[in-house]
Amino acid sequence: SNTFSNFLFRYPVGIAMFSKLAPTCPMKPFIHESHKEKREDPYFWLRDKKNPDVLAYLEEENNYADHIFKETPMEKLTETCYKEFLSRIKETDET
């Protein structure tokens, strides 16, 4: 079955559909220097899992996702897709 395609045709997803906008991740200057090359990475700060700013941003993202799931039929779609994925996996005790 093509569950995801059916969902997209029934429920066109767009920003106007949601009453809450996604949080914007702040960019913080950081330059990687490796092998005589420099590369900017404004999201490097997100690697610090103990940083209260990182935790606060992730909490915002989680709250947004919860909100979207409640506003749309995404929760049901997620469960349906999960069951479909599991049905395609051959379960064995082998590694």
Side-chain angles (χ1 to χ4, degrees):
S1 106
N2 201 341
T3 306
F4 188 67
S5 293
N6 292 340
F7 172 80
L8 289 178
F9 285 114
R10 280 193 199 149
Y11 305 100
V13 177
I15 249 184
M17 181 177 174
F18 306 123
S19 65
K20 182 177 182 177
L21 294 178
T24 303
C25 185
M27 296 191 305
K28 299 181 181 185
F30 182 83
I31 307 273
H32 284 280
E33 293 187 37
S34 180
H35 306 289
K36 299 180 184 178
E37 292 187 14
K38 293 181 181 181
R39 181 173 49 90
E40 291 183 29
D41 184 358
Y43 302 107
F44 185 83
W45 68 277
L46 290 169
R47 297 175 130 220
D48 183 2
K49 296 178 180 137
K50 294 180 181 179
N51 180 335
D53 292 338
V54 171
L55 297 175
Y57 175 69
L58 293 176
E59 185 68 27
E60 281 183 62
E61 284 280 345
N62 289 337
N63 290 339
Y64 174 74
D66 290 344
H67 176 77
I68 295 305
F69 271 63
K70 286 178 184 148
E71 249 189 44
T72 65
M74 293 289 283
E75 202 163 23
K76 183 177 180 189
L77 173 66
T78 301
E79 183 64 29
T80 301
C81 287
Y82 180 72
K83 287 177 183 176
E84 188 172 322
F85 295 151
L86 287 180
S87 73
R88 295 170 186 244
I89 296 172
K90 181 179 176 185
E91 292 187 40
T92 67
D93 291 334
E94 299 172 9
T95 57

